[in-house]
Short mmCIF file of all heavy atoms in Angstrom, two decimals:
data_model
loop_
_atom_site.label_atom_id
_atom_site.label_comp_id
_atom_site.label_asym_id
_atom_site.label_seq_id
_atom_site.Cartn_x
_atom_site.Cartn_y
_atom_site.Cartn_z
N LEU A 1 59.85 -11.40 -12.67
CA LEU A 1 60.40 -11.24 -14.02
C LEU A 1 61.91 -11.24 -14.00
O LEU A 1 62.56 -11.97 -14.75
CB LEU A 1 59.86 -9.94 -14.64
CG LEU A 1 60.46 -9.54 -15.99
CD1 LEU A 1 60.14 -10.59 -17.05
CD2 LEU A 1 59.94 -8.18 -16.42
N PHE A 2 62.51 -10.44 -13.13
CA PHE A 2 63.96 -10.30 -13.12
C PHE A 2 64.65 -11.57 -12.62
O PHE A 2 65.81 -11.81 -12.95
CB PHE A 2 64.37 -9.09 -12.28
CG PHE A 2 64.22 -7.78 -12.99
CD1 PHE A 2 62.97 -7.29 -13.33
CD2 PHE A 2 65.33 -7.04 -13.34
CE1 PHE A 2 62.83 -6.08 -13.99
CE2 PHE A 2 65.20 -5.83 -14.00
CZ PHE A 2 63.95 -5.34 -14.33
N ALA A 3 63.95 -12.38 -11.83
CA ALA A 3 64.55 -13.63 -11.35
C ALA A 3 64.79 -14.61 -12.49
O ALA A 3 65.61 -15.52 -12.36
CB ALA A 3 63.65 -14.27 -10.29
N LEU A 4 64.12 -14.42 -13.62
CA LEU A 4 64.31 -15.33 -14.75
C LEU A 4 65.73 -15.27 -15.29
O LEU A 4 66.20 -16.24 -15.89
CB LEU A 4 63.31 -15.00 -15.87
CG LEU A 4 61.85 -15.36 -15.59
CD1 LEU A 4 60.95 -14.86 -16.71
CD2 LEU A 4 61.70 -16.87 -15.44
N TRP A 5 66.41 -14.16 -15.14
CA TRP A 5 67.80 -14.08 -15.58
C TRP A 5 68.76 -13.87 -14.40
O TRP A 5 69.86 -13.36 -14.56
CB TRP A 5 68.00 -13.02 -16.65
CG TRP A 5 67.49 -11.65 -16.33
CD1 TRP A 5 68.11 -10.68 -15.62
CD2 TRP A 5 66.24 -11.09 -16.76
NE1 TRP A 5 67.33 -9.56 -15.56
CE2 TRP A 5 66.17 -9.77 -16.26
CE3 TRP A 5 65.16 -11.58 -17.52
CZ2 TRP A 5 65.09 -8.95 -16.48
CZ3 TRP A 5 64.08 -10.76 -17.73
CH2 TRP A 5 64.04 -9.47 -17.23
N GLY A 6 68.32 -14.26 -13.20
CA GLY A 6 69.21 -14.28 -12.06
C GLY A 6 69.40 -12.98 -11.34
O GLY A 6 70.28 -12.88 -10.47
N ASP A 7 68.60 -11.96 -11.63
CA ASP A 7 68.71 -10.68 -10.94
C ASP A 7 67.75 -10.70 -9.76
O ASP A 7 66.54 -10.51 -9.91
CB ASP A 7 68.37 -9.54 -11.90
CG ASP A 7 68.66 -8.16 -11.30
OD1 ASP A 7 68.99 -8.11 -10.10
OD2 ASP A 7 68.57 -7.15 -12.03
N THR A 8 68.29 -10.94 -8.57
CA THR A 8 67.44 -11.06 -7.38
C THR A 8 67.23 -9.73 -6.67
O THR A 8 66.45 -9.67 -5.72
CB THR A 8 68.07 -12.05 -6.39
OG1 THR A 8 69.40 -11.62 -6.06
CG2 THR A 8 68.11 -13.45 -6.99
N HIS A 9 67.90 -8.68 -7.09
CA HIS A 9 67.71 -7.35 -6.47
C HIS A 9 67.47 -6.33 -7.59
O HIS A 9 68.32 -5.47 -7.86
CB HIS A 9 68.92 -6.95 -5.63
CG HIS A 9 69.18 -7.88 -4.49
ND1 HIS A 9 69.97 -9.01 -4.60
CD2 HIS A 9 68.73 -7.86 -3.20
CE1 HIS A 9 70.01 -9.62 -3.43
NE2 HIS A 9 69.26 -8.95 -2.57
N PRO A 10 66.34 -6.43 -8.26
CA PRO A 10 66.08 -5.51 -9.37
C PRO A 10 65.78 -4.10 -8.89
O PRO A 10 65.20 -3.90 -7.81
CB PRO A 10 64.86 -6.13 -10.05
CG PRO A 10 64.15 -6.85 -8.96
CD PRO A 10 65.23 -7.36 -8.05
N ARG A 11 66.20 -3.13 -9.67
CA ARG A 11 65.81 -1.75 -9.40
C ARG A 11 64.37 -1.54 -9.86
O ARG A 11 63.75 -2.42 -10.45
CB ARG A 11 66.75 -0.79 -10.13
CG ARG A 11 68.22 -0.95 -9.75
CD ARG A 11 69.11 -0.10 -10.62
NE ARG A 11 68.79 1.32 -10.46
CZ ARG A 11 69.29 2.27 -11.25
NH1 ARG A 11 70.09 1.96 -12.24
NH2 ARG A 11 68.96 3.54 -11.05
N ALA A 12 63.85 -0.35 -9.55
CA ALA A 12 62.47 -0.04 -9.93
C ALA A 12 62.40 0.24 -11.42
O ALA A 12 62.07 1.35 -11.86
CB ALA A 12 61.95 1.15 -9.12
N THR A 13 62.73 -0.78 -12.20
CA THR A 13 62.77 -0.62 -13.65
C THR A 13 61.35 -0.72 -14.22
O THR A 13 60.69 -1.75 -14.04
CB THR A 13 63.64 -1.71 -14.29
OG1 THR A 13 64.94 -1.66 -13.72
CG2 THR A 13 63.74 -1.52 -15.79
N PRO A 14 60.87 0.30 -14.90
CA PRO A 14 59.55 0.19 -15.53
C PRO A 14 59.62 -0.65 -16.79
O PRO A 14 60.67 -0.76 -17.43
CB PRO A 14 59.19 1.65 -15.85
CG PRO A 14 60.52 2.30 -16.06
CD PRO A 14 61.50 1.63 -15.14
N VAL A 15 58.55 -1.29 -17.11
CA VAL A 15 58.45 -2.02 -18.37
C VAL A 15 57.48 -1.28 -19.27
O VAL A 15 56.51 -0.68 -18.81
CB VAL A 15 57.99 -3.48 -18.15
CG1 VAL A 15 58.94 -4.21 -17.22
CG2 VAL A 15 56.58 -3.54 -17.63
N ILE A 16 57.78 -1.29 -20.54
CA ILE A 16 56.92 -0.61 -21.50
C ILE A 16 56.52 -1.60 -22.58
O ILE A 16 57.31 -2.46 -22.99
CB ILE A 16 57.62 0.62 -22.14
CG1 ILE A 16 58.94 0.22 -22.81
CG2 ILE A 16 57.86 1.70 -21.12
CD1 ILE A 16 59.60 1.33 -23.59
N GLY A 17 55.30 -1.53 -22.99
CA GLY A 17 54.80 -2.42 -24.02
C GLY A 17 53.34 -2.13 -24.30
O GLY A 17 52.67 -1.43 -23.55
N SER A 18 52.84 -2.67 -25.37
CA SER A 18 51.46 -2.44 -25.76
C SER A 18 50.53 -3.35 -24.97
O SER A 18 50.80 -4.53 -24.77
CB SER A 18 51.30 -2.71 -27.26
OG SER A 18 49.94 -2.61 -27.63
N LEU A 19 49.41 -2.77 -24.53
CA LEU A 19 48.37 -3.56 -23.89
C LEU A 19 47.24 -3.88 -24.87
O LEU A 19 46.11 -4.15 -24.45
CB LEU A 19 47.81 -2.80 -22.68
CG LEU A 19 48.65 -2.90 -21.40
CD1 LEU A 19 48.04 -2.06 -20.29
CD2 LEU A 19 48.80 -4.34 -20.96
N ALA A 20 47.57 -3.85 -26.16
CA ALA A 20 46.59 -4.27 -27.15
C ALA A 20 46.30 -5.75 -26.98
O ALA A 20 47.18 -6.53 -26.61
CB ALA A 20 47.10 -3.98 -28.56
N LEU A 21 45.07 -6.14 -27.24
CA LEU A 21 44.70 -7.54 -27.10
C LEU A 21 45.50 -8.41 -28.06
O LEU A 21 45.74 -8.03 -29.20
CB LEU A 21 43.20 -7.71 -27.39
CG LEU A 21 42.23 -7.37 -26.26
CD1 LEU A 21 40.81 -7.43 -26.78
CD2 LEU A 21 42.41 -8.33 -25.11
N PRO A 22 45.93 -9.60 -27.62
CA PRO A 22 46.63 -10.51 -28.53
C PRO A 22 45.72 -10.97 -29.65
O PRO A 22 44.51 -10.75 -29.62
CB PRO A 22 47.01 -11.69 -27.62
CG PRO A 22 46.91 -11.18 -26.23
CD PRO A 22 45.86 -10.12 -26.26
N GLY A 23 46.30 -11.61 -30.65
CA GLY A 23 45.51 -12.16 -31.74
C GLY A 23 44.55 -13.23 -31.23
O GLY A 23 44.71 -13.79 -30.15
N ASP A 24 43.54 -13.51 -32.04
CA ASP A 24 42.49 -14.44 -31.61
C ASP A 24 42.85 -15.90 -31.88
O ASP A 24 41.98 -16.76 -31.89
CB ASP A 24 41.16 -14.10 -32.27
CG ASP A 24 41.27 -14.10 -33.79
OD1 ASP A 24 42.39 -14.30 -34.31
OD2 ASP A 24 40.24 -13.90 -34.45
N GLY A 25 44.13 -16.20 -32.10
CA GLY A 25 44.54 -17.58 -32.30
C GLY A 25 44.91 -17.87 -33.74
O GLY A 25 45.04 -16.97 -34.57
N LEU A 26 45.07 -19.16 -34.04
CA LEU A 26 45.47 -19.59 -35.36
C LEU A 26 44.41 -20.50 -35.96
O LEU A 26 43.61 -21.10 -35.25
CB LEU A 26 46.81 -20.35 -35.27
CG LEU A 26 47.98 -19.59 -34.66
CD1 LEU A 26 49.15 -20.51 -34.45
CD2 LEU A 26 48.37 -18.43 -35.56
N ALA A 27 44.45 -20.61 -37.27
CA ALA A 27 43.53 -21.51 -37.95
C ALA A 27 43.85 -22.96 -37.59
O ALA A 27 44.97 -23.29 -37.22
CB ALA A 27 43.61 -21.29 -39.46
N ASP A 28 42.84 -23.83 -37.73
CA ASP A 28 43.04 -25.23 -37.38
C ASP A 28 44.16 -25.86 -38.21
O ASP A 28 44.95 -26.65 -37.69
CB ASP A 28 41.74 -26.01 -37.60
CG ASP A 28 40.65 -25.59 -36.62
OD1 ASP A 28 41.01 -25.01 -35.57
OD2 ASP A 28 39.48 -25.83 -36.90
N ALA A 29 44.24 -25.51 -39.48
CA ALA A 29 45.29 -26.08 -40.34
C ALA A 29 46.67 -25.65 -39.86
O ALA A 29 47.61 -26.44 -39.86
CB ALA A 29 45.06 -25.65 -41.79
N ALA A 30 46.80 -24.39 -39.46
CA ALA A 30 48.09 -23.90 -38.98
C ALA A 30 48.47 -24.58 -37.68
O ALA A 30 49.64 -24.93 -37.47
CB ALA A 30 48.03 -22.38 -38.79
N VAL A 31 47.49 -24.80 -36.80
CA VAL A 31 47.78 -25.48 -35.53
C VAL A 31 48.22 -26.91 -35.78
O VAL A 31 49.19 -27.40 -35.19
CB VAL A 31 46.54 -25.44 -34.62
CG1 VAL A 31 46.74 -26.34 -33.41
CG2 VAL A 31 46.26 -24.02 -34.18
N GLY A 32 47.52 -27.61 -36.67
CA GLY A 32 47.90 -28.99 -36.98
C GLY A 32 49.29 -29.09 -37.57
O GLY A 32 50.05 -30.02 -37.24
N ALA A 33 49.63 -28.14 -38.43
CA ALA A 33 50.97 -28.17 -39.03
C ALA A 33 52.06 -27.90 -38.01
O ALA A 33 53.13 -28.51 -38.05
CB ALA A 33 51.03 -27.15 -40.17
N ARG A 34 51.78 -27.00 -37.07
CA ARG A 34 52.80 -26.65 -36.07
C ARG A 34 52.92 -27.71 -34.99
O ARG A 34 53.98 -27.85 -34.37
CB ARG A 34 52.45 -25.32 -35.43
CG ARG A 34 52.51 -24.13 -36.36
CD ARG A 34 53.90 -23.85 -36.84
NE ARG A 34 54.83 -23.61 -35.75
CZ ARG A 34 56.10 -23.28 -35.92
NH1 ARG A 34 56.58 -23.16 -37.15
NH2 ARG A 34 56.90 -23.09 -34.89
N MET A 35 51.87 -28.48 -34.74
CA MET A 35 51.92 -29.48 -33.68
C MET A 35 52.97 -30.54 -33.94
O MET A 35 53.59 -31.06 -33.01
CB MET A 35 50.55 -30.13 -33.50
CG MET A 35 49.59 -29.33 -32.64
SD MET A 35 48.05 -30.21 -32.35
CE MET A 35 48.64 -31.68 -31.49
N THR A 36 53.20 -30.88 -35.19
CA THR A 36 54.20 -31.90 -35.50
C THR A 36 55.60 -31.45 -35.12
O THR A 36 56.48 -32.28 -34.90
CB THR A 36 54.16 -32.24 -37.00
OG1 THR A 36 54.38 -31.04 -37.77
CG2 THR A 36 52.81 -32.82 -37.39
N ALA A 37 55.82 -30.13 -35.05
CA ALA A 37 57.13 -29.60 -34.68
C ALA A 37 57.20 -29.24 -33.21
O ALA A 37 58.19 -28.65 -32.77
CB ALA A 37 57.45 -28.36 -35.53
N SER A 38 56.17 -29.59 -32.44
CA SER A 38 56.17 -29.25 -31.02
C SER A 38 57.35 -29.92 -30.32
O SER A 38 57.61 -31.11 -30.52
CB SER A 38 54.87 -29.72 -30.38
OG SER A 38 54.93 -29.61 -28.98
N PRO A 39 58.11 -29.19 -29.51
CA PRO A 39 59.26 -29.80 -28.82
C PRO A 39 58.85 -30.91 -27.87
O PRO A 39 59.61 -31.85 -27.65
CB PRO A 39 59.89 -28.62 -28.08
CG PRO A 39 58.82 -27.58 -27.98
CD PRO A 39 57.97 -27.76 -29.19
N VAL A 40 57.65 -30.82 -27.30
CA VAL A 40 57.18 -31.88 -26.40
C VAL A 40 57.00 -33.18 -27.17
O VAL A 40 57.43 -34.25 -26.73
CB VAL A 40 55.86 -31.46 -25.73
CG1 VAL A 40 55.32 -32.57 -24.85
CG2 VAL A 40 56.06 -30.19 -24.92
N LEU A 41 56.38 -33.10 -28.34
CA LEU A 41 56.15 -34.28 -29.16
C LEU A 41 57.46 -34.82 -29.72
O LEU A 41 57.68 -36.03 -29.79
CB LEU A 41 55.18 -33.94 -30.29
CG LEU A 41 54.38 -35.09 -30.90
CD1 LEU A 41 53.60 -35.83 -29.83
CD2 LEU A 41 53.46 -34.58 -31.98
N ARG A 42 58.34 -33.92 -30.12
CA ARG A 42 59.63 -34.35 -30.66
C ARG A 42 60.44 -35.08 -29.58
O ARG A 42 61.10 -36.08 -29.86
CB ARG A 42 60.40 -33.14 -31.17
CG ARG A 42 61.74 -33.48 -31.79
CD ARG A 42 62.32 -32.28 -32.53
NE ARG A 42 63.63 -32.59 -33.06
CZ ARG A 42 64.78 -32.35 -32.43
NH1 ARG A 42 64.75 -31.77 -31.23
NH2 ARG A 42 65.94 -32.67 -32.96
N ARG A 43 60.39 -34.60 -28.36
CA ARG A 43 61.10 -35.26 -27.26
C ARG A 43 60.58 -36.67 -27.04
O ARG A 43 61.34 -37.61 -26.80
CB ARG A 43 60.94 -34.42 -25.99
CG ARG A 43 61.62 -35.00 -24.74
CD ARG A 43 63.11 -35.04 -24.93
NE ARG A 43 63.82 -35.31 -23.69
CZ ARG A 43 63.90 -36.50 -23.09
NH1 ARG A 43 63.31 -37.55 -23.63
NH2 ARG A 43 64.59 -36.64 -21.97
N ALA A 44 59.27 -36.86 -27.13
CA ALA A 44 58.69 -38.19 -26.96
C ALA A 44 59.08 -39.13 -28.11
O ALA A 44 59.32 -40.32 -27.89
CB ALA A 44 57.17 -38.08 -26.86
N ARG A 45 59.14 -38.60 -29.32
CA ARG A 45 59.58 -39.43 -30.46
C ARG A 45 61.03 -39.86 -30.28
O ARG A 45 61.39 -41.01 -30.60
CB ARG A 45 59.42 -38.65 -31.76
CG ARG A 45 57.98 -38.38 -32.17
CD ARG A 45 57.92 -37.96 -33.62
NE ARG A 45 56.61 -37.43 -33.97
CZ ARG A 45 56.33 -36.14 -34.06
NH1 ARG A 45 57.26 -35.24 -33.84
NH2 ARG A 45 55.12 -35.73 -34.39
#
């Protein structure tokens, strides 16, 4: 985790956050609408 921002000698830093289950996804219409804005697809265009 800490290597993502260049910290190669991290201290024993605890992380805190909820372990609640993520949402069960998005509706098909919402996925279709968001796919057109996908950076992967935009890069290909």
Side-chain angles (χ1 to χ4, degrees):
L1 173 63
F2 280 68
L4 288 174
W5 52 83
D7 188 352
T8 57
H9 298 89
R11 301 173 62 190
T13 303
V15 302
I16 57 173
S18 175
L19 279 177
L21 279 173
D24 57 356
L26 302 172
D28 292 340
V31 170
R34 294 294 302 183
M35 277 185 61
T36 57
S38 170
V40 177
L41 204 56
R42 182 169 177 267
R43 179 64 168 76
R45 291 195 192 101

